[in-house]
Amino acid sequence: MKTILTTGSNGLLGQKLTEKVLAERRVKLVATSKGVNRYPVKDGYEYAEMDILNAVQVKELIERYSPDAIVHTAAMTNVDTCEANKELCRQLNVDAVQTLLSICEEKNIQLIHLSTDFVFDGANGPYKEEDAVNPVSYYGESKVLAEDLLKNSKANWAILRTILVYGITSDMSRSNIVLWAKGALEKASPINVVNDQWRMPTLAEDLAEACLLAVEKNAKGIYHVSGKDYMSIADLVRKVADYWGLDQSFINEISSTSLNQTAKRPIRTGFVLDKTIKDLDYRPHSFEEGLIILNQQMKKDNQFTSH
């Protein structure tokens, strides 16, 4: 059985990977993140505190656990923060990847690296893996720089690009568009939603499964991993309102230009999933199925009923 080490295990994808490993026992897990372990179950895997900007600590930990694969989920993903603080963005999204790559090359460890649809300019999505990248934000640029490091390395690597990940964790530390829209509409708060950006939202469980499949199948190269449904952000929020029976009159549709965001967003992304479905046997849920899964998780966990 392979041993995987995850970075960013306190994040949404990181916690879903822990959950999946504990439920299915397909691999052994070493979870690492900055600070204390926020996953509620502490048994059945190893946890180690690790700051991905501390190269010495990263090397020591990887040598101690000698994993077969590293699933690198840690990153700075707030697009506007990346634009405003390019130096920190570069350290977290590029330099940290170089540190991991050097160790993976030396120790012959597979590196599964998470990337994004924001490597594309959004002029003509949905995109295939081999389509030309052309980021319109510094966040996208940092992810392209990281991808280039992998492509030019001798390591055994796979890049999983994904889109607009949603899901729920027990500590609710990370919000995402589905939870944000649901929460606001339940409070009858008016929300501004863009109607001129198109995406394929990804259930966090699906992305976690793709990560494990990439390890198990020793995947090499770039893979597109998202949900199967293509929709505008406004449609997405209306589907959330529909599913939970919430009042859509609080949804105010606007154009991206009126938002005044620090960083530019691509207009139409979305992925062609054929390669990932064929090579990794990836089976994404529909958006509707994703909302059903989310709802079941909320019901199962009493602490969500008060939200």
Side-chain angles (χ1 to χ4, degrees), residues 12 54 81 138 146 183 186 212:
L12 175 58
N54 183 337
T81 310
Y138 190 74
E186 280 173 343
L212 292 183

Side-chain angles (χ1 to χ4, degrees), residues 113-120 125-133 147 151 158-163 200 202 206-207 210 221-228 269-280 282-284:
H113 173 70
L114 273 295
S115 193
T116 172
D117 57 324
F118 277 42
V119 299
F120 297 110
Y127 292 94
K128 293 181 176 173
E129 284 82 355
E130 59 274 14
D131 286 335
V133 298
E147 287 191 4
K151 289 176 190 170
I159 292 166
L160 305 188
R161 294 184 184 139
T162 192
I163 306 175
M200 286 166 75
T202 311
D206 284 348
L207 185 54
I222 301 174
Y223 294 89
H224 282 176
V225 179
S226 71
K228 56 165 82 159
T269 65
F271 287 154
V272 175
L273 299 173
D274 301 0
K275 177 187 173 186
T276 310
I277 288 168
K278 182 173 167 283
D279 292 3
L280 300 187
Y282 175 62
R283 298 282 177 264

Side-chain angles (χ1 to χ4, degrees), residues 185-203:
L185 294 173
E186 280 173 343
K187 295 189 188 85
S189 306
I191 51 174
N192 289 334
V193 184
V194 294
N195 59 8
D196 57 359
Q197 290 177 18
W198 283 262
R199 302 287 184 262
M200 286 166 75
T202 311
L203 181 67

